[in-house]
Amino acid sequence: MFGVDLPIIWFVLVAFLFAGYFLLEGFDFGVGMLLPFVGRDERRRKAMLGTIGPVWDGNEVWLITAGGALFAAFPEWYASMFSGFYLPLFLILLALIVRIVGLEWRSKVHEDSWRAWCDGAIVFGSWLPPILWGVAVANLIRGVPLGADKTMDSGFGTLIGLLNPYALLGGAAFAAVFALHAVAFLRLKTAGTLRDAVGRAMPIPAVTALIAGSAFLLWTQLAHGKAWVWIPLVVAAAALALAVVAIAAGRDGLGFVASSVAVVAVTVVAFGSMYPFLMPSTLPGGVSLDIWNSSSNPYTLKIMTWAAIAVTPLVLAYQAWTYWSFRRRLTAEPATD
């Protein structure tokens, strides 16, 4: 179709969906991560959560869509990943549910103790998924113990088996970059004392993101990367540095654009380092999953491609309209006449 191998098109589309998910849900997670440090009173916490209130559930649709694309386009990759990575993916799902409960039910009961429990759920559900996503992505790049029958070693499906040094660094890098991304987002979406408080909280996320993010990118490139991946790697590192400088200088728009570019570039580095493999085998004689031996039949991919061409522009237009409709800054100051 169009002179391009359909499995390649769908590998790029899956990468695009995860890039969109990490870009949009990344600052959602980051807002929850920063909640205990910036939200020192109820007005601040309410304003912080108000910045993501109209959009967080729409941002999660990107994950659902990415999962559906995996299932339809690469069913063998979907099955192998959800069996070998069962526990971390289950914990991600559990954390998302806990976070949703905290976000949706926080305003239902007007008691400090109730809001404290909901805030704890939001913080828990915002910290755990970025760490586990980093661990999962790092293990997909590094490889898994697939045998000659393309099934995983029976001892691999444990969380401990995934927690190697490279994966732990990936988890730290994802969490730190999302926190910095949230700083840029909150600076763009707030005003007054809350915006100033977000700026004062920037140093720790900024330093951690620069160190952990650069280390993870460099390790990925040196151990698993390809020559062309140096381009998005340099873009990611430069965008992280630019985001820190722009936020410190009060250039909120530039800071958010830079952090967004960094998140997307990191995703490109991850998927570019994997290509053409989806799950490389680390076992001698093992058979790796690649985009061709794991994809659906050509007819299925062709129908899906036409459906994606028709629907994707509508989804992007609707989400862009949503963000435009809720573009105003929020403050934590008391309301005045």
Side-chain angles (χ1 to χ4, degrees):
M1 185 176 182
F2 307 120
V4 181
D5 206 358
L6 285 176
I8 296 177
I9 291 178
W10 276 93
F11 179 79
V12 173
L13 182 57
V14 168
F16 169 77
L17 292 172
F18 273 102
Y21 173 68
F22 291 146
L23 169 64
L24 300 176
E25 191 75 337
F27 60 71
D28 287 350
F29 287 139
V31 169
M33 294 160 69
L34 295 173
L35 193 63
F37 308 103
V38 179
R40 298 298 178 87
D41 56 56
E42 175 58 21
R43 283 198 182 98
R44 287 187 181 183
R45 290 190 291 271
K46 187 175 181 180
M48 289 177 68
L49 296 176
T51 62
I52 62 173
V55 297
W56 67 264
D57 48 355
N59 294 341
E60 289 192 347
V61 172
W62 286 78
L63 177 60
I64 299 171
T65 307
L70 277 177
F71 175 77
F74 301 103
E76 196 158 357
W77 185 20
Y78 180 92
S80 299
M81 184 168 61
F82 273 77
S83 59
F85 290 46
Y86 178 82
L87 184 55
L89 293 176
F90 172 78
L91 290 175
I92 289 173
L93 178 61
L94 177 63
L96 291 178
I97 293 172
V98 170
R99 176 172 165 266
I100 289 170
V101 170
L103 288 168
E104 290 286 355
W105 292 3
R106 188 180 189 277
S107 61
K108 303 302 181 183
V109 179
H110 301 290
E111 294 180 0
D112 291 341
S113 59
W114 173 262
R115 285 193 288 259
W117 277 104
C118 290
D119 290 345
I122 294 169
V123 172
F124 169 78
S126 298
W127 271 99
L128 188 60
I131 295 172
L132 292 179
W133 277 122
V135 169
V137 169
N139 277 284
L140 286 175
I141 298 171
R142 176 176 177 264
V144 294
L146 288 169
D149 56 354
K150 293 192 286 187
T151 58
M152 289 192 189
D153 183 278
S154 59
F156 181 73
T158 63
L159 182 60
I160 298 299
L162 296 171
L163 299 181
N164 52 78
Y166 174 62
L168 291 174
L169 178 60
F174 268 57
V177 171
F178 286 172
L180 178 61
H181 191 34
V183 169
F185 174 75
L186 286 171
R187 290 277 291 183
L188 183 66
K189 288 289 293 179
T190 59
T193 58
L194 178 55
R195 178 177 175 274
D196 296 336
V198 173
R200 290 192 296 270
M202 184 190 70
I204 293 178
V207 172
T208 308
L210 288 173
I211 295 175
S214 299
F216 177 69
L217 289 171
L218 190 60
W219 191 340
T220 299
Q221 179 62 13
L222 294 178
H224 311 286
K226 302 168 181 63
W228 71 269
V229 178
W230 279 108
I231 297 174
L233 186 150
V234 171
V235 170
L240 283 175
L242 178 59
V244 173
V245 173
I247 294 170
R251 301 286 300 278
D252 299 337
L254 178 60
F256 181 68
V257 169
S259 67
S260 300
V261 170
V263 172
V264 173
V266 169
T267 310
V268 173
V269 170
F271 277 84
S273 300
M274 291 167 54
Y275 179 84
F277 297 105
L278 305 176
M279 298 181 77
S281 177
T282 58
L283 293 179
V287 176
S288 300
L289 295 181
D290 60 37
I291 62 175
W292 294 285
N293 65 14
S294 303
S295 63
S296 296
N297 65 71
Y299 182 75
T300 299
L301 295 179
K302 186 175 181 179
I303 296 298
M304 289 171 55
T305 303
W306 283 113
I309 291 173
V311 174
T312 301
L314 299 177
V315 174
L316 293 176
Y318 172 77
Q319 194 149 33
W321 174 80
T322 302
Y323 276 92
W324 177 255
S325 299
F326 295 98
R327 65 189 181 278
R328 294 183 63 183
R329 292 177 182 256
L330 302 181
T331 69
E333 276 73 28
T336 59
D337 291 338

